[in-house]
Amino acid sequence: MAESKKRVRRTPEQRIADLEKKQAAILERQKAALARIEAAKKRLLQSPSARKDRMEQDKRFIRAAQALAPEWDARHFIAAIEKALQEDAEVLQARGESLLKEHGQPRRGRRPRGV
């Protein structure tokens, strides 16, 4: 008769060690997946269309800032931003959207070539 193998019971410490190894492996896979997602996001933000959108937003901001406070320079805007950080973000965002819609649009009509 062939001898059958006896089942070896693992101790709780061995089972805990196995679970910790499994957890570490899962965390490594998650970190790798998050790194891939971050890389893809970075690539998208550097795409020409995203750069074009950012440039358009910058232009709208500059136009609105010049329309609202033509005499202000960067120091004034930094101080205003610091004061605004103490306000409610959602209210500021809504007000900013309305101001950009009102003052951030380019002028209509034909412009001279040299300007």
mmCIF file of all heavy atoms in Angstrom, residues 50-70:
data_model
loop_
_atom_site.group_PDB
_atom_site.id
_atom_site.type_symbol
_atom_site.label_atom_id
_atom_site.label_comp_id
_atom_site.label_asym_id
_atom_site.label_seq_id
_atom_site.Cartn_x
_atom_site.Cartn_y
_atom_site.Cartn_z
ATOM 1 N N ALA A 50 -4.730 69.966 -25.799
ATOM 2 C CA ALA A 50 -4.816 70.429 -24.408
ATOM 3 C C ALA A 50 -4.024 71.718 -24.225
ATOM 4 O O ALA A 50 -4.452 72.634 -23.515
ATOM 5 C CB ALA A 50 -4.307 69.359 -23.456
ATOM 6 N N ARG A 51 -2.866 71.796 -24.869
ATOM 7 C CA ARG A 51 -2.045 73.017 -24.782
ATOM 8 C C ARG A 51 -2.799 74.192 -25.400
ATOM 9 O O ARG A 51 -2.791 75.303 -24.867
ATOM 10 C CB ARG A 51 -0.717 72.782 -25.499
ATOM 11 C CG ARG A 51 0.309 73.855 -25.213
ATOM 12 C CD ARG A 51 1.664 73.554 -25.825
ATOM 13 N NE ARG A 51 2.141 72.217 -25.544
ATOM 14 C CZ ARG A 51 2.420 71.309 -26.478
ATOM 15 N NH1 ARG A 51 2.279 71.595 -27.751
ATOM 16 N NH2 ARG A 51 2.841 70.109 -26.144
ATOM 17 N N LYS A 52 -3.484 73.924 -26.500
ATOM 18 C CA LYS A 52 -4.258 74.976 -27.161
ATOM 19 C C LYS A 52 -5.394 75.451 -26.254
ATOM 20 O O LYS A 52 -5.647 76.660 -26.147
ATOM 21 C CB LYS A 52 -4.821 74.445 -28.478
ATOM 22 C CG LYS A 52 -5.550 75.463 -29.294
ATOM 23 C CD LYS A 52 -6.032 74.857 -30.599
ATOM 24 C CE LYS A 52 -6.827 75.837 -31.403
ATOM 25 N NZ LYS A 52 -7.351 75.239 -32.627
ATOM 26 N N ASP A 53 -6.079 74.502 -25.591
ATOM 27 C CA ASP A 53 -7.152 74.874 -24.662
ATOM 28 C C ASP A 53 -6.615 75.707 -23.501
ATOM 29 O O ASP A 53 -7.235 76.688 -23.091
ATOM 30 C CB ASP A 53 -7.845 73.624 -24.111
ATOM 31 C CG ASP A 53 -8.657 72.905 -25.171
ATOM 32 O OD1 ASP A 53 -8.966 73.529 -26.215
ATOM 33 O OD2 ASP A 53 -8.980 71.718 -24.952
ATOM 34 N N ARG A 54 -5.453 75.311 -22.943
ATOM 35 C CA ARG A 54 -4.862 76.078 -21.844
ATOM 36 C C ARG A 54 -4.483 77.482 -22.292
ATOM 37 O O ARG A 54 -4.682 78.456 -21.562
ATOM 38 C CB ARG A 54 -3.626 75.366 -21.299
ATOM 39 C CG ARG A 54 -3.924 74.357 -20.229
ATOM 40 C CD ARG A 54 -2.693 73.975 -19.437
ATOM 41 N NE ARG A 54 -1.504 73.683 -20.213
ATOM 42 C CZ ARG A 54 -1.243 72.526 -20.795
ATOM 43 N NH1 ARG A 54 -2.083 71.534 -20.699
ATOM 44 N NH2 ARG A 54 -0.131 72.361 -21.474
ATOM 45 N N MET A 55 -3.939 77.601 -23.511
ATOM 46 C CA MET A 55 -3.564 78.920 -24.023
ATOM 47 C C MET A 55 -4.803 79.792 -24.199
ATOM 48 O O MET A 55 -4.780 80.989 -23.891
ATOM 49 C CB MET A 55 -2.791 78.782 -25.339
ATOM 50 C CG MET A 55 -1.386 78.274 -25.140
ATOM 51 S SD MET A 55 -0.495 78.022 -26.680
ATOM 52 C CE MET A 55 -0.550 79.625 -27.409
ATOM 53 N N GLU A 56 -5.886 79.196 -24.665
ATOM 54 C CA GLU A 56 -7.133 79.945 -24.829
ATOM 55 C C GLU A 56 -7.668 80.396 -23.475
ATOM 56 O O GLU A 56 -8.127 81.533 -23.339
ATOM 57 C CB GLU A 56 -8.170 79.097 -25.558
ATOM 58 C CG GLU A 56 -9.480 79.813 -25.791
ATOM 59 C CD GLU A 56 -9.345 81.076 -26.615
ATOM 60 O OE1 GLU A 56 -8.483 81.139 -27.512
ATOM 61 O OE2 GLU A 56 -10.103 82.035 -26.342
ATOM 62 N N GLN A 57 -7.585 79.540 -22.462
ATOM 63 C CA GLN A 57 -8.015 79.937 -21.117
ATOM 64 C C GLN A 57 -7.140 81.055 -20.570
ATOM 65 O O GLN A 57 -7.637 81.983 -19.936
ATOM 66 C CB GLN A 57 -7.984 78.742 -20.166
ATOM 67 C CG GLN A 57 -9.117 77.782 -20.363
ATOM 68 C CD GLN A 57 -9.050 76.626 -19.381
ATOM 69 O OE1 GLN A 57 -8.016 76.360 -18.783
ATOM 70 N NE2 GLN A 57 -10.170 75.944 -19.217
ATOM 71 N N ASP A 58 -5.836 80.973 -20.827
ATOM 72 C CA ASP A 58 -4.935 82.045 -20.381
ATOM 73 C C ASP A 58 -5.287 83.369 -21.056
ATOM 74 O O ASP A 58 -5.296 84.423 -20.408
ATOM 75 C CB ASP A 58 -3.482 81.688 -20.682
ATOM 76 C CG ASP A 58 -2.967 80.555 -19.810
ATOM 77 O OD1 ASP A 58 -3.619 80.241 -18.785
ATOM 78 O OD2 ASP A 58 -1.906 79.989 -20.158
ATOM 79 N N LYS A 59 -5.575 83.319 -22.345
ATOM 80 C CA LYS A 59 -5.955 84.537 -23.058
ATOM 81 C C LYS A 59 -7.246 85.126 -22.501
ATOM 82 O O LYS A 59 -7.367 86.335 -22.317
ATOM 83 C CB LYS A 59 -6.128 84.253 -24.552
ATOM 84 C CG LYS A 59 -4.829 84.035 -25.291
ATOM 85 C CD LYS A 59 -5.118 83.728 -26.750
ATOM 86 C CE LYS A 59 -3.873 83.354 -27.499
ATOM 87 N NZ LYS A 59 -4.171 83.002 -28.898
ATOM 88 N N ARG A 60 -8.223 84.242 -22.225
ATOM 89 C CA ARG A 60 -9.485 84.714 -21.646
ATOM 90 C C ARG A 60 -9.248 85.358 -20.287
ATOM 91 O O ARG A 60 -9.829 86.395 -19.969
ATOM 92 C CB ARG A 60 -10.473 83.555 -21.501
ATOM 93 C CG ARG A 60 -11.035 83.072 -22.818
ATOM 94 C CD ARG A 60 -12.028 81.968 -22.629
ATOM 95 N NE ARG A 60 -13.230 82.496 -21.974
ATOM 96 C CZ ARG A 60 -14.108 81.751 -21.334
ATOM 97 N NH1 ARG A 60 -13.925 80.454 -21.245
ATOM 98 N NH2 ARG A 60 -15.155 82.292 -20.778
ATOM 99 N N PHE A 61 -8.381 84.757 -19.470
ATOM 100 C CA PHE A 61 -8.073 85.314 -18.165
ATOM 101 C C PHE A 61 -7.433 86.693 -18.302
ATOM 102 O O PHE A 61 -7.814 87.638 -17.602
ATOM 103 C CB PHE A 61 -7.133 84.386 -17.386
ATOM 104 C CG PHE A 61 -6.598 85.007 -16.137
ATOM 105 C CD1 PHE A 61 -7.397 85.145 -15.021
ATOM 106 C CD2 PHE A 61 -5.298 85.463 -16.082
ATOM 107 C CE1 PHE A 61 -6.910 85.724 -13.860
ATOM 108 C CE2 PHE A 61 -4.803 86.049 -14.938
ATOM 109 C CZ PHE A 61 -5.613 86.178 -13.823
ATOM 110 N N ILE A 62 -6.493 86.826 -19.206
ATOM 111 C CA ILE A 62 -5.807 88.114 -19.392
ATOM 112 C C ILE A 62 -6.789 89.173 -19.874
ATOM 113 O O ILE A 62 -6.778 90.315 -19.385
ATOM 114 C CB ILE A 62 -4.618 87.945 -20.366
ATOM 115 C CG1 ILE A 62 -3.526 87.095 -19.693
ATOM 116 C CG2 ILE A 62 -4.063 89.287 -20.794
ATOM 117 C CD1 ILE A 62 -2.434 86.658 -20.625
ATOM 118 N N ARG A 63 -7.663 88.806 -20.815
ATOM 119 C CA ARG A 63 -8.648 89.773 -21.298
ATOM 120 C C ARG A 63 -9.585 90.216 -20.175
ATOM 121 O O ARG A 63 -9.872 91.404 -20.013
ATOM 122 C CB ARG A 63 -9.460 89.182 -22.446
ATOM 123 C CG ARG A 63 -8.739 89.180 -23.778
ATOM 124 C CD ARG A 63 -9.694 88.877 -24.919
ATOM 125 N NE ARG A 63 -10.260 87.538 -24.850
ATOM 126 C CZ ARG A 63 -9.773 86.480 -25.488
ATOM 127 N NH1 ARG A 63 -8.704 86.593 -26.241
ATOM 128 N NH2 ARG A 63 -10.360 85.308 -25.374
ATOM 129 N N ALA A 64 -10.063 89.254 -19.385
ATOM 130 C CA ALA A 64 -10.971 89.589 -18.286
ATOM 131 C C ALA A 64 -10.263 90.430 -17.231
ATOM 132 O O ALA A 64 -10.844 91.392 -16.707
ATOM 133 C CB ALA A 64 -11.521 88.311 -17.654
ATOM 134 N N ALA A 65 -9.014 90.101 -16.926
ATOM 135 C CA ALA A 65 -8.274 90.874 -15.923
ATOM 136 C C ALA A 65 -8.050 92.306 -16.401
ATOM 137 O O ALA A 65 -8.185 93.261 -15.618
ATOM 138 C CB ALA A 65 -6.930 90.198 -15.625
ATOM 139 N N GLN A 66 -7.723 92.478 -17.662
ATOM 140 C CA GLN A 66 -7.516 93.830 -18.201
ATOM 141 C C GLN A 66 -8.818 94.621 -18.223
ATOM 142 O O GLN A 66 -8.818 95.825 -18.012
ATOM 143 C CB GLN A 66 -6.914 93.753 -19.607
ATOM 144 C CG GLN A 66 -5.468 93.313 -19.611
ATOM 145 C CD GLN A 66 -4.574 94.309 -18.893
ATOM 146 O OE1 GLN A 66 -4.769 95.508 -18.973
ATOM 147 N NE2 GLN A 66 -3.606 93.781 -18.161
ATOM 148 N N ALA A 67 -9.922 93.943 -18.488
ATOM 149 C CA ALA A 67 -11.205 94.641 -18.535
ATOM 150 C C ALA A 67 -11.664 95.051 -17.135
ATOM 151 O O ALA A 67 -12.223 96.127 -16.947
ATOM 152 C CB ALA A 67 -12.261 93.756 -19.193
ATOM 153 N N LEU A 68 -11.445 94.171 -16.147
ATOM 154 C CA LEU A 68 -11.912 94.453 -14.792
ATOM 155 C C LEU A 68 -11.013 95.424 -14.045
ATOM 156 O O LEU A 68 -11.506 96.284 -13.311
ATOM 157 C CB LEU A 68 -12.036 93.144 -14.000
ATOM 158 C CG LEU A 68 -13.160 92.221 -14.440
ATOM 159 C CD1 LEU A 68 -13.057 90.894 -13.721
ATOM 160 C CD2 LEU A 68 -14.504 92.867 -14.171
ATOM 161 N N ALA A 69 -9.697 95.275 -14.180
ATOM 162 C CA ALA A 69 -8.763 96.120 -13.433
ATOM 163 C C ALA A 69 -7.554 96.437 -14.305
ATOM 164 O O ALA A 69 -6.493 95.843 -14.150
ATOM 165 C CB ALA A 69 -8.335 95.417 -12.161
ATOM 166 N N PRO A 70 -7.696 97.394 -15.219
ATOM 167 C CA PRO A 70 -6.593 97.663 -16.147
ATOM 168 C C PRO A 70 -5.337 98.214 -15.466
ATOM 169 O O PRO A 70 -4.233 98.053 -15.971
ATOM 170 C CB PRO A 70 -7.183 98.678 -17.129
ATOM 171 C CG PRO A 70 -8.397 99.215 -16.484
ATOM 172 C CD PRO A 70 -8.865 98.205 -15.497
#
